[in-house]
Amino acid sequence: MTNETMTAPAMPRLNEPAPAFDAPTTHGRKTLEDYRGKWLVLFSHPADFTPVCTTEFMGFARRHADFQAIDCDLLGLSIDSHYSHVAWVRNIKEKFDVEIGFPIIADLSMQVAKAYGMIQPGASDTSAVRATFVIDPQGVLRAMLYYPMSNGRSIDEILRLVKAMQTSDAYKVATPENWQPGEQVIVPPPGSVEEANARVASDEYDCVDWYFCKRSL
């Protein structure tokens, strides 16, 4: 085993249970189990009182109601103290008039950050990178997105992704690139020649070929 392998950060895996946590936040202690039955977007940021992170938090705050409307909660995290989080939230309200209505985990021990692979040695050994995790109502990790320290995330894309996954779960379909609610979805490929012929001949589907068919919901 090489030194690189030994020091590689632990990484959660898609479609497996998300790592459990029990951590202090700006809204009291929170556990993963608290979010059972809802979707959860857990996202980390490198540090409080930094410009890019501030824009991201304001972006999440402005779309908070939109996430709640689709039964999805938000939970931030950084390796800063509880008091630093409180001061930063108050500063954002004072300087930008934006209320941060979701909790932020204070992860000084780096326990949660390490469990989720938020610490990337190539970036920093003491700060969480811009990682985003989408966890479904059963506590299963469904999506992961990583951004560099220098560039902020697209909150609209994260919201779109949650809506797309909810649609896929509800209707057993896939969604094309940049799919938006109300647009056609992609149906799974047929499993037999008979099914393929029937699908192409049906008015229910919009087929380019037997394997590529869309339909409206």
Side-chain angles (χ1 to χ4, degrees):
M1 182 177 292
T2 65
N3 289 336
E4 183 179 352
T5 302
M6 292 174 65
T7 58
M11 295 293 292
R13 295 192 292 189
L14 294 181
N15 300 316
E16 292 188 358
F21 59 81
D22 183 344
T25 80
T26 50
H27 291 196
R29 295 200 74 84
K30 294 291 183 182
T31 69
L32 180 60
E33 195 62 26
D34 291 334
Y35 297 95
R36 177 73 63 169
K38 283 191 168 188
W39 290 78
L40 174 65
V41 171
L42 169 63
F43 64 98
S44 59
H45 63 281
D48 297 347
F49 293 100
T50 53
V52 176
C53 298
T54 299
T55 65
E56 289 185 319
F57 265 69
M58 290 192 295
F60 272 118
R62 290 179 177 126
R63 303 307 299 273
H64 190 193
D66 295 322
F67 281 98
Q68 290 182 314
I70 59 171
D71 207 24
C72 180
D73 281 330
L74 299 175
L75 180 60
L77 177 148
S78 79
I79 301 169
D80 287 292
S81 72
H82 176 71
Y83 300 107
S84 175
H85 287 341
V86 170
W88 188 36
V89 166
R90 288 172 55 84
N91 179 266
I92 292 174
K93 175 61 177 176
E94 176 187 351
K95 301 298 184 182
F96 299 97
D97 196 28
V98 175
E99 191 83 46
I100 305 301
F102 51 83
I104 310 170
I105 292 175
D107 194 28
L108 286 172
S109 69
M110 296 191 286
Q111 188 171 4
V112 181
K114 288 179 178 177
Y116 278 84
M118 297 171 178
I119 305 297
Q120 300 285 319
S124 173
D125 292 327
T126 58
S127 295
V129 296
R130 300 185 197 286
T132 307
F133 303 88
V134 182
I135 302 169
D136 73 16
Q138 288 72 48
V140 174
L141 180 60
R142 298 289 297 279
M144 297 185 289
L145 300 90
Y146 283 81
Y147 281 67
M149 296 276 197
S150 56
N151 304 102
R153 285 162 279 213
S154 168
I155 312 305
D156 286 345
E157 167 56 17
I158 297 169
L159 180 62
R160 187 201 71 83
L161 176 60
V162 176
K163 290 178 179 179
M165 288 191 292
Q166 290 178 341
T167 299
S168 292
D169 285 359
Y171 296 97
K172 309 305 179 189
V173 295
T175 58
E177 63 85 26
N178 201 34
W179 175 87
Q180 301 292 336
E183 296 178 351
Q184 286 188 319
V185 296
I186 296 174
V187 295
S192 67
V193 172
E194 182 180 5
E195 185 182 349
N197 292 337
R199 179 174 295 180
V200 171
S202 172
D203 293 334
E204 182 182 353
Y205 303 100
D206 181 9
C207 294
V208 176
D209 206 341
W210 66 270
Y211 73 95
F212 192 101
C213 295
K214 293 182 178 181
R215 72 177 177 91
S216 300
L217 294 177

